[in-house]
Amino acid sequence: MATSNKPISLAGPLDADVQRTVELNKFLVEAGLYESADESARREEVLGELDKIVKDWVKQLTSQRGYTDQMVEEANAVLFTFGSYRLGVHGPGADIDTLCVGPSYVNREEDFFIVLHDILAQNEEVTQLQPVPDAHVPVMKFKFHGISIDLLYASVSLLVVPSDLDISQEAVLYDIDEATVRSLTGCRVADQILRLVPNIESFRTTLRCLKHWARRRGVYSNVTGFLGGVNWALLVARVCQLYPNAVPSMLVSRFFRVFTQWRWPTPVMLCAIEEEELGFPVWDPRKNPRDRTHHMPIITPAYPCMNSSYNVSTSTLRVMIEQFQFGNKICQEIEMNKASWSALFEPFNFFEAYKNYLQVDIIAEDDEDLRLWKGWVESRLRQLTLKIERDTYGKLQCHPYPYEYADPSRQCAHCAFFMGLSRKEGVKIQEGQQFDIRGTVDEFRHEINMYMFWKPGMELAVSHVRRKEIPAYVFPEGYKRPRPQRHLNHQHHSDKNDPGNGSPDSQLKRKHDSTGIDDTEPCRSVKRASISPVHPKTSSPRSGNVSDEPISNNQQKVTSNASGGSQDSPGSGNQDQTKCSSSSHASEKSLDSVASGSKCVKIEAVCSGDVTSKHVDCISPVKDSTAPTVAVSTTLKRVAEKVVLELVGSESIGGNNAELLQIAETDMGNVLVENLHFGGNGVPQSGLPEELELNNGIEVLSKAHAGLKSDGSQKSSLRVSLTSTA
């Protein structure tokens, strides 16, 4: 599969670009993205110790298996690094990705995950040792002298592993299984990236900058469906190829310019995909139907070439495109001296971007159990996103936030993840149409329940919460939520032309909550149903008592309030100190609290700012306006989520259609147009949708280009129908 490596522009930096690069470097240093010389030296010492451990391990096994003294003497293992450490972009406290390459007679299943595991477990400097043998890339995770290590193992077809082994050569892949190939891929890809970028130092600075930006904007996480370290490295490397003489400030700006307009699923490739005679599968949508389903292909440059971003879904791709547009806008302002670099790294206000959220509470008996349980649940959260997209035919989109939160006032092992919910743009939905995701969440729960190492006390609660009901502990200290207007104007207000109702980024500086409900009202005593795995040897935990506090670490069961508000439960003053449970905010709605007979009241709120949106408030069909709190306490085996999500209106997300594209390079009046051809899969070899014109050495985007999303797209509005089970 061919690809064009011709640059878009050979222009070098102007004086202003050099100055902006100096300012960018200063910002990155002040942001604490570089580790100290002492920490770098300490990492080298730790790697040296680990290298000695694995060498002694191989020698020990060689001796035990009756090999000659000469073989024992020559027995060897080689330790490689990859990831951010190998690329030279790691920061303080970052983990080190390592690969141990051993001889053919030392296997992964027993020798690595049992023998070496036991050796490490006996080392006093090794903590938090966690083997993950069933992972897509089998790994052993631990801390060594306080430094996080991810250790992989690859057994190659050699009796003696030379100390100068070059794993970039295809010969190292002979006669090994696919799991070993995947283990070798990280090192091979890192080495290939460094070979293919025109300027390593510019690449490193740009990548360090973009990784920091991605974390601040909430799109750095491979496990939840965004992009991880290798994905960002490949995207940055491609931009470096397109602008080989650019300095980091230019590359950051061009990064957003290119990928704001990139037409996915056009693949990003640093070099042509080659097929060797070894027969390992490579990414090729012409031959592999599964590859055609990938939304954001970012192809690794080393054989066997694979899509490194297969976790990306339509929802997470939408979020990333919106963030690319935000970055592009800020970079344009920086180039016009209207903004500083700090504006680019403003954190994304996730809890103000949506009206409705799913809250996933994870509870365990102690910190060690929580670490294991959380790792399992987090690795499956992406499946919940995919299942909701599947069961609503893509009309309901989830924005999983890759950060965990916990209530610091609680002593119990607990954390929570959140997902923003919104309707898909561009899909016409009939008024009154509803999407029932009860079965979706039920399926997700049962998959979670398949955890092999489940223990009593490991529980999961999935709840629907509105923006005004988000627990206070997710906000930074001193943060004040926007105060809505108390007097609402119910006159119909169209969202169509409202600039405040676009992507989540358009609402970052909202000063008022469009729900029109005062957030400052006191918390009321409610509970939410906790969903816990059912183990054949354990009984269902009992319900905890009602608490006046938000989601806590000290309670096990929570009940749902089906009405708009609730009265304090008579038992709210009592708390079970022996059990761990989760309680929630006053108006928090549980997925377990839904039943038929609810009545939804749609309230239109007009805020004093530039944001006008619709909020849907739900009340239960009771005559008295002060409906009682309804307690629902149940386990995973008994609970059935009953959340009904109704989507209102329509938006447009733009197309993903692949079509014949062109890159035009204009240099002092001479135009070079390269016609890009489709592969047999119908995927063009460049994702750039328009001409990039070179005007006196500075690229200028043409105004008329396809594929860009409207800045004035509507903010989604969800109707959530919740009633009590009473």
Side-chain angles (χ1 to χ4, degrees):
M1 188 178 293
T3 184
S4 171
N5 279 324
K6 291 185 178 180
I8 292 176
S9 171
L10 296 175
L14 302 176
D15 290 343
D17 297 313
V18 174
Q19 179 59 35
R20 279 191 287 267
T21 297
V22 171
E23 295 169 356
L24 176 60
N25 279 318
K26 181 181 178 182
F27 179 90
L28 298 180
V29 170
E30 292 176 349
L33 300 186
Y34 292 88
E35 68 178 4
S36 65
D38 290 342
E39 187 173 357
S40 295
R42 189 160 167 266
R43 286 180 184 271
E44 292 294 331
E45 292 175 3
V46 167
L47 287 173
E49 271 193 63
L50 184 59
D51 183 64
K52 184 178 185 304
I53 289 174
V54 297
K55 281 177 166 57
D56 291 344
W57 162 64
V58 169
K59 287 183 181 293
Q60 173 187 322
L61 290 172
T62 306
S63 176
Q64 291 175 351
R65 289 173 185 174
Y67 287 95
T68 64
D69 292 343
Q70 182 179 353
M71 279 287 292
V72 174
E73 180 67 24
E74 294 177 350
N76 189 36
V78 181
L79 197 66
F80 295 91
T81 61
F82 61 101
S84 62
Y85 187 81
R86 174 69 181 94
L87 293 175
V89 295
H90 62 285
D95 61 359
I96 306 178
D97 296 309
T98 57
L99 167 70
C100 175
V101 177
S104 58
Y105 56 85
V106 177
N107 63 54
R108 181 189 304 106
E109 292 75 15
E110 297 179 2
D111 299 331
F112 180 72
F113 279 114
I114 297 178
V115 179
L116 181 59
H117 173 273
D118 292 344
I119 293 173
L120 292 173
Q122 294 169 9
N123 192 312
E124 294 181 354
E125 297 299 334
V126 174
T127 59
Q128 300 183 17
L129 181 60
Q130 180 184 1
V132 193
D134 297 326
H136 185 65
V137 181
V139 61
M140 200 133 58
K141 296 173 175 285
F142 56 93
K143 283 192 174 183
F144 193 29
H145 292 281
I147 295 177
S148 297
I149 304 287
D150 284 0
L151 179 62
L152 313 182
Y153 178 70
S155 174
V156 295
S157 299
L158 297 170
L159 285 176
V160 178
V161 179
S163 297
D164 59 350
L165 177 68
D166 184 1
I167 60 173
S168 65
Q169 299 297 316
E170 271 71 25
V172 77
L173 302 178
Y174 282 106
D175 198 24
I176 60 175
D177 59 22
E178 289 191 25
T180 302
V181 171
R182 291 194 294 270
S183 297
L184 290 164
T185 293
C187 291
R188 290 167 50 80
V189 167
D191 289 347
Q192 189 74 339
I193 289 174
L194 294 177
R195 290 190 187 99
L196 292 173
V197 294
N199 186 308
I200 292 178
E201 286 308 313
S202 292
F203 163 76
R204 284 174 172 164
T205 301
T206 307
L207 178 56
R208 194 182 295 270
C209 170
L210 267 301
K211 288 178 66 175
H212 180 55
W213 174 85
R215 289 190 178 96
R216 298 283 287 176
R217 304 301 295 177
V219 290
Y220 189 95
S221 174
N222 183 279
V223 69
T224 52
F226 294 106
L227 301 182
V230 67
N231 311 128
W232 291 105
L234 291 170
L235 292 184
V236 170
R238 185 64 184 128
V239 174
C240 289
Q241 289 180 333
L242 295 175
Y243 301 91
N245 298 320
V247 292
S249 65
M250 298 169 64
L251 291 171
V252 171
S253 175
R254 303 316 185 265
F255 177 93
F256 292 117
R257 183 178 299 181
V258 167
F259 291 115
T260 292
Q261 303 170 67
W262 194 272
R263 286 191 173 174
W264 307 104
T266 304
V268 173
M269 299 184 291
L270 301 186
C271 58
I273 295 179
E274 298 180 1
E275 295 191 31
E276 299 291 336
E277 297 179 355
L278 298 177
F280 292 110
V282 299
W283 186 83
D284 190 346
R286 297 170 300 183
K287 298 179 180 179
N288 308 319
R290 188 173 182 178
D291 292 344
R292 299 172 198 162
T293 66
H294 294 169
H295 301 287
M296 192 181 189
I298 303 173
I299 311 305
T300 56
Y303 176 83
C305 299
M306 295 178 283
N307 176 23
S308 64
S309 53
Y310 58 87
N311 277 352
V312 174
S313 68
T314 55
S315 289
T316 53
L317 175 59
R318 168 188 61 88
V319 172
M320 285 187 282
I321 289 174
E322 289 173 347
Q323 294 304 323
F324 290 157
Q325 292 173 346
F326 166 83
N328 189 45
K329 176 177 178 293
I330 298 299
C331 283
Q332 289 177 357
E333 294 177 355
I334 291 173
E335 290 181 341
M336 293 185 291
N337 297 320
K338 293 182 179 180
S340 63
W341 285 111
S342 61
L344 182 64
F345 301 97
E346 283 293 320
F348 176 55
N349 291 336
F350 174 74
F351 294 107
E352 294 180 20
Y354 298 93
K355 294 180 183 178
N356 293 272
Y357 299 83
L358 286 184
Q359 177 173 335
V360 180
D361 287 294
I362 304 168
I363 303 167
E365 288 291 338
D366 53 46
D367 290 340
E368 179 62 19
D369 283 356
L370 180 64
R371 184 175 63 84
L372 300 173
W373 181 228
K374 178 188 67 177
W376 167 251
V377 175
E378 186 179 11
S379 71
R380 308 304 299 172
L381 284 178
R382 172 179 164 269
Q383 294 301 319
L384 178 57
T385 300
L386 295 176
K387 292 177 189 301
I388 291 176
E389 290 178 354
R390 176 199 68 192
D391 293 347
T392 62
Y393 303 97
K395 296 177 182 178
L396 177 62
Q397 293 179 319
C398 296
H399 177 177
Y401 204 51
Y403 299 110
E404 62 183 84
Y405 297 88
D407 189 345
S409 67
R410 299 294 180 178
Q411 300 301 317
C412 185
H414 156 267
C415 69
F417 288 92
F418 293 84
M419 292 184 177
L421 300 175
S422 65
R423 56 187 169 81
K424 182 179 180 179
E425 301 175 347
V427 176
K428 292 184 179 180
I429 301 171
Q430 297 178 354
E431 185 72 26
Q433 183 177 356
Q434 295 180 337
F435 295 89
D436 189 343
I437 61 171
R438 290 174 296 182
T440 306
V441 180
D442 188 55
E443 179 184 344
F444 171 71
R445 288 188 295 105
H446 284 287
E447 286 189 3
I448 294 297
N449 189 34
M450 294 171 64
Y451 183 49
M452 293 176 57
F453 306 103
W454 186 88
K455 296 179 181 179
M458 291 181 174
E459 299 191 11
L460 177 74
V462 180
S463 306
H464 162 252
V465 292
R466 298 188 208 160
R467 179 168 54 203
K468 64 186 177 65
E469 300 158 356
I470 294 294
Y473 60 76
V474 307
F475 297 102
E477 186 177 354
Y479 176 86
K480 293 184 179 180
R481 295 193 192 185
R483 292 178 59 89
Q485 280 188 315
R486 295 182 180 272
H487 303 287
L488 303 180
N489 179 3
H490 293 280
Q491 181 180 358
H492 179 71
H493 207 91
S494 173
D495 290 317
K496 183 175 182 181
N497 297 317
D498 188 348
N501 286 288
S503 66
D505 285 320
S506 66
Q507 303 185 24
L508 294 182
K509 298 183 179 179
R510 180 188 291 120
K511 297 182 180 179
H512 297 278
D513 190 334
S514 63
T515 60
I517 305 299
D518 191 352
D519 289 351
T520 60
E521 63 177 309
C523 293
R524 298 181 181 174
S525 176
V526 294
K527 286 186 177 182
R528 198 181 45 216
S530 178
I531 306 169
S532 61
V534 175
H535 195 275
K537 296 183 181 179
T538 61
S539 59
S540 301
R542 294 187 182 127
S543 301
N545 294 321
V546 180
S547 170
D548 286 324
E549 301 185 21
I551 291 179
S552 69
N553 298 338
N554 298 330
Q555 302 171 336
Q556 236 175 24
K557 297 299 173 193
V558 284
T559 59
S560 170
N561 174 20
S563 64
S566 68
Q567 302 296 327
D568 290 348
S569 170
S572 62
N574 302 323
Q575 293 187 10
D576 187 352
Q577 300 298 330
T578 64
K579 290 189 177 182
C580 196
S581 59
S582 324
S583 67
S584 84
H585 240 225
S587 303
E588 219 159 60
K589 308 297 188 298
S590 170
L591 291 176
D592 307 309
S593 68
V594 185
S596 60
S598 67
K599 183 192 300 180
C600 288
V601 178
K602 182 164 64 179
I603 301 174
E604 293 180 353
V606 180
C607 295
S608 61
D610 60 350
V611 177
T612 303
S613 60
K614 299 176 182 177
H615 171 70
V616 178
D617 194 12
C618 294
I619 60 173
S620 54
V622 292
K623 295 181 180 179
D624 189 354
S625 60
T626 59
T629 300
V630 180
V632 179
S633 178
T634 180
T635 63
L636 176 63
K637 184 176 181 181
R638 297 171 50 203
V639 72
E641 292 87 281
K642 298 176 182 179
V643 65
V644 180
L645 302 177
E646 179 176 341
L647 298 105
V648 183
S650 61
E651 300 177 9
S652 175
I653 194 173
N656 245 352
N657 300 325
E659 58 187 57
L660 191 60
L661 308 172
Q662 289 185 338
I663 297 178
E665 180 179 357
T666 306
D667 187 5
M668 305 301 288
N670 297 323
V671 181
L672 173 63
V673 179
E674 176 187 2
N675 291 320
L676 304 178
H677 300 281
F678 294 99
N681 60 330
V683 177
Q685 303 312 306
S686 171
L688 294 176
E690 60 173 61
E691 295 181 350
L692 290 174
E693 300 174 358
L694 188 64
N695 183 11
N696 295 328
I698 304 176
E699 299 94 327
V700 180
L701 290 180
S702 63
K703 294 182 180 179
H705 54 268
L708 279 183
K709 290 70 182 174
S710 172
D711 291 334
S713 60
Q714 298 184 76
K715 178 70 179 74
S716 59
S717 174
L718 274 175
R719 177 178 297 172
V720 183
S721 301
L722 297 172
T723 62
S724 72
T725 55

